[in-house]
């Protein structure tokens, strides 16, 4: 996310299709409010697992080899990078939540914030 950048340029550099994009000033659904920043978002979709590393591996396959490109884009466009995990806990069974050193290194290389949100279903 960032103030104002061309989301298509991010797509072109990363060669990955985002799941969602918006530009600063775009309307937020039917709320009467507008987005305060531009966003390029990749979404793994819903995955049922008791181990967060199933999702980490999906991210790894697509983005680890692009760390240099992501870091360059972050600097060029003054982006805020966040890797968010939204976890729905069902039947009182929370998943294992831990990160391997390779993922931590990747997140640090691209200057990402890690955000873990849990919801009890």
């Amino acid at each position: 996310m960032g103030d104002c950048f061309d989301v298509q340029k991010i797509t072109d550099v990363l060669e990955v299709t985002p799941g969602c994009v918006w530009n600063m000033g775009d309307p937020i659904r039917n709320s009467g409010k507008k987005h305060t920043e531009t966003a390029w978002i990749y979404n793994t979709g819903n995955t049922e697992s008791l181990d967060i590393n199933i999702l980490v591996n999906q991210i790894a396959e697509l983005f680890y080899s692009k760390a240099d490109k992501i870091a360059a884009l972050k600097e060029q466009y003054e982006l805020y990078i966040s890797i968010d995990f939204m976890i729905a806990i069902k039947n009182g069974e929370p998943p294992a939540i831990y990160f391997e050193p390779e993922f931590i290194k990747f997140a640090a290389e691209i200057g990402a914030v890690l955000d873990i949100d849990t919801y009890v279903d």
Side-chain angles (χ1 to χ4, degrees):
M1 292 191 263
D3 282 343
C4 198
F5 60 91
D6 183 345
V7 293
Q8 187 58 51
K9 287 185 181 179
I10 305 297
T11 301
D12 293 345
V13 170
L14 296 180
E15 299 175 314
V16 173
T17 302
C20 180
V21 298
W22 62 75
N23 291 298
M24 183 186 299
D26 284 352
I28 301 174
R29 294 184 210 108
N30 298 324
S31 68
K33 297 179 181 179
K34 296 183 183 231
H35 286 286
T36 59
E37 55 198 358
T38 300
W40 185 101
I41 299 169
Y42 179 79
N43 186 334
T44 61
N46 293 334
T47 302
E48 199 166 314
S49 174
L50 289 176
D51 187 342
I52 197 170
N53 283 287
I54 299 296
L55 296 172
V56 170
N57 291 336
Q58 289 178 27
I59 293 166
E61 287 179 31
L62 275 176
F63 294 106
Y64 278 15
S65 65
K66 302 171 191 295
D68 290 343
K69 291 179 181 180
I70 296 168
L73 289 166
K74 181 181 191 291
E75 186 174 325
Q76 180 180 357
Y77 296 110
E78 299 179 10
L79 301 176
Y80 171 84
I81 298 176
S82 180
I83 302 173
D84 301 351
F85 296 92
M86 290 176 266
I87 300 169
I89 298 171
K90 296 185 178 184
N91 302 319
E93 297 177 356
I97 301 174
Y98 64 95
F99 299 112
E100 298 289 343
E102 186 177 13
F103 177 71
I104 295 167
K105 180 181 175 195
F106 167 73
E109 284 177 8
I110 65 171
V113 169
L114 300 177
D115 181 18
I116 302 171
D117 295 324
T118 56
Y119 304 92
V120 179
D121 192 9

